Amino acid sequence: MNSLLSGERVDVDGRSMTVDAGLRIVADGRRPAAGDGVARSLARLVDDTVAPDAPERAITVDQTNTSVIVDERLIVKLVGRWAAADRAGALLERLAEARSDDVDRLVGRIEWRHPSLGSATLAVVTEYLPGAEDGWTWAVDDVVAALDGGPEPDWPALLGGRVARIHDVLGADARPSGDGAGAARSARASDALRGAMLVAHGDVGARLRNRRASLDRDIRLLERAAPGLEFPIHGDLHVGQVLRSPTATGTRYTVIDFDGDPQLAASERERADAAARDVAHLLVSLDLVAAVAQKQMRRVDPRAFAWADRARAAFLDAYRTSLRRGELLDEALLPGFEAEQLVAELHYADRFLPRWAYAPDAAITHRHPSTNEHPEEPWTPPPFEPTSS
């Protein structure tokens, strides 16, 4: 069920919602927040069973948008900037039409028809999954437990099947990428590598410089690969985008957040891309889980990357087996996309979370041979803190 609001200003729960000069969505001049009634009123537009006094609770990890749990059963994602949720809303609708159980169930979206800005998604309402944790918590805990003698996690294969089913739906109208795709992909990845060289310092920088040749070799493969097919992929796929929640019959894994790569400009996020990019991003995140697990264990443990090797193989095997549209995946693109994502993680750390650099540093050090041109220390995990990164 969808809803449409119209006008330069729209009234929501007695508050005047407008778009300011910076294209930010504000209510009475302020960013909406849990408890002000805006999320509840928007939820009622697509679900008339929501009570007028239903409780609201904030999700504090969402910094870009305002995400609020309403009535302990719905999540209202109210966009922070005009048109920021158009992509996610459209992709979730396609998956809902296909009756996908691999993503959080779409309850509805609210569209705003503005006289000068056109139409855009104001809010997306999805199901709330009680007890859900993201993969930077549950995946790391599972790996640490396995290395301490617990069972081998079976979820890499489960995720492979889920990602394949999502790609089958979103790739139904896949089109050829075009003759210039290889050069464009290689140039983008090369730019990311050069940028990482500028922001990586100290031991991280030394290990990166010693592995630049190996990373560059993988990146150059992107230009030699066939253009292949492209479609609207997830764009920011990693284990942190997978929620694990308890159900009456077991455990559910749900892929969330189809907003695209937050490090790209909005116009870039909207572009179609190859399925291999999503697959490569997820594979890289398994290596990052291995790095975080070693931090949590407070020691270097080669068994963590041995687990990552098995997890990557299980994910890929299940993905290949489950993908009905086998033409969507070109595995020749994987090494280059993985190399790009590894250095992109260093960019992310430099811009937003400096303490995160240890994780891509570990994966780069493990996956790529060193030229030993620069003195370097072996990678070791930083002191453990009770966080997931």
Side-chain angles (χ1 to χ4, degrees), residues 22-355:
L23 295 181
R24 293 180 293 268
I25 308 295
V26 294
D28 291 341
R30 297 185 300 275
R31 180 173 174 170
D36 64 12
V38 172
R40 177 176 56 237
S41 294
L42 292 173
R44 283 170 53 80
L45 293 176
V46 297
D47 184 346
D48 57 13
T49 67
V50 176
D53 59 350
E56 297 183 342
R57 181 161 61 87
I59 300 179
T60 56
V61 297
D62 195 336
Q63 300 298 319
T64 304
N65 304 296
T66 300
S67 288
V68 180
I69 299 170
V70 174
D71 205 24
E72 293 301 316
R73 60 189 181 89
L74 301 175
I75 293 181
V76 178
K77 177 186 282 191
L78 180 60
V79 299
R81 294 177 62 85
W82 183 258
D86 287 358
R87 181 183 195 273
L91 296 186
L92 285 174
E93 281 191 345
R94 289 184 62 178
L95 289 161
E97 290 168 359
R99 299 188 177 183
S100 172
D101 190 45
D102 299 310
V103 299
D104 45 347
R105 181 178 60 86
L106 179 67
V107 177
R109 64 169 168 162
I110 297 93
E111 188 176 17
W112 185 349
R113 185 175 296 162
H114 193 283
S116 58
L117 297 174
S119 295
T121 299
L122 171 61
V124 177
V125 183
T126 56
E127 64 177 326
Y128 169 58
L129 302 172
E133 291 182 320
D134 75 62
W136 295 123
T137 298
W138 59 257
V140 173
D141 288 347
D142 281 3
V143 173
V144 171
L147 296 179
D148 283 342
E152 179 86 355
D154 63 356
W155 47 261
L158 297 176
L159 296 189
R162 276 157 176 72
V163 174
R165 289 191 292 271
I166 290 170
H167 281 174
D168 273 327
V169 174
L170 300 183
D173 300 319
R175 297 182 178 182
S177 299
D179 293 337
R185 291 166 180 160
S186 181
R188 169 178 155 175
S190 295
D191 286 347
L193 177 56
R194 283 191 292 269
M197 299 291 294
L198 296 175
V199 301
H201 304 294
D203 289 335
V204 175
R207 287 188 286 266
L208 178 64
R209 289 194 297 274
N210 282 338
R211 290 159 180 80
R212 180 174 187 172
S214 176
L215 289 160
D216 191 56
R217 280 194 295 270
D218 283 355
I219 286 171
R220 287 200 300 269
L221 296 175
L222 292 171
E223 188 163 6
R224 297 201 289 269
L229 300 174
E230 60 183 23
F231 59 95
I233 62 172
H234 183 284
D236 188 31
L237 189 61
H238 52 77
V239 295
Q241 305 287 32
V242 182
L243 298 182
R244 183 164 77 180
S245 55
T247 69
T249 57
T251 302
R252 180 180 173 190
Y253 294 88
T254 308
V255 178
I256 63 169
D257 194 358
F258 285 77
D259 294 323
D261 188 341
Q263 295 197 72
L264 298 179
S267 59
E268 291 290 322
R269 291 197 297 270
E270 294 293 330
R271 292 184 180 178
D273 209 337
R277 189 179 295 278
D278 270 353
V279 173
H281 285 195
L282 199 290
L283 293 174
V284 164
S285 76
L286 295 174
D287 281 346
L288 301 180
V289 166
V292 181
Q294 291 174 85
K295 177 183 176 182
Q296 188 163 312
M297 293 186 296
R298 299 176 172 87
R299 67 179 186 272
V300 173
D301 191 329
R303 296 178 303 155
F305 278 114
W307 166 84
D309 290 341
R310 297 192 300 273
R312 288 160 59 97
F315 174 87
L316 266 178
D317 286 348
Y319 180 91
R320 296 186 192 106
T321 301
S322 302
L323 189 69
R324 290 184 292 108
R325 305 177 192 274
E327 68 278 8
L328 295 178
L329 178 65
D330 182 356
E331 295 192 34
L333 297 171
L334 291 178
F337 283 156
E338 285 190 53
E340 178 184 354
Q341 182 59 19
L342 285 169
V343 296
E345 292 285 347
L346 290 176
H347 276 283
Y348 175 84
D350 179 66
R351 293 178 60 190
F352 303 111
L353 195 65
R355 67 179 185 272

Side-chain angles (χ1 to χ4, degrees), residues 358-387:
Y358 79 90
D361 176 28
I364 291 169
T365 300
H366 175 72
R367 293 291 171 195
H368 291 272
S370 173
T371 60
N372 296 312
E373 294 179 40
H374 305 277
E376 67 170 62
E377 294 294 327
W379 177 87
T380 56
F384 173 72
E385 300 170 0
T387 73

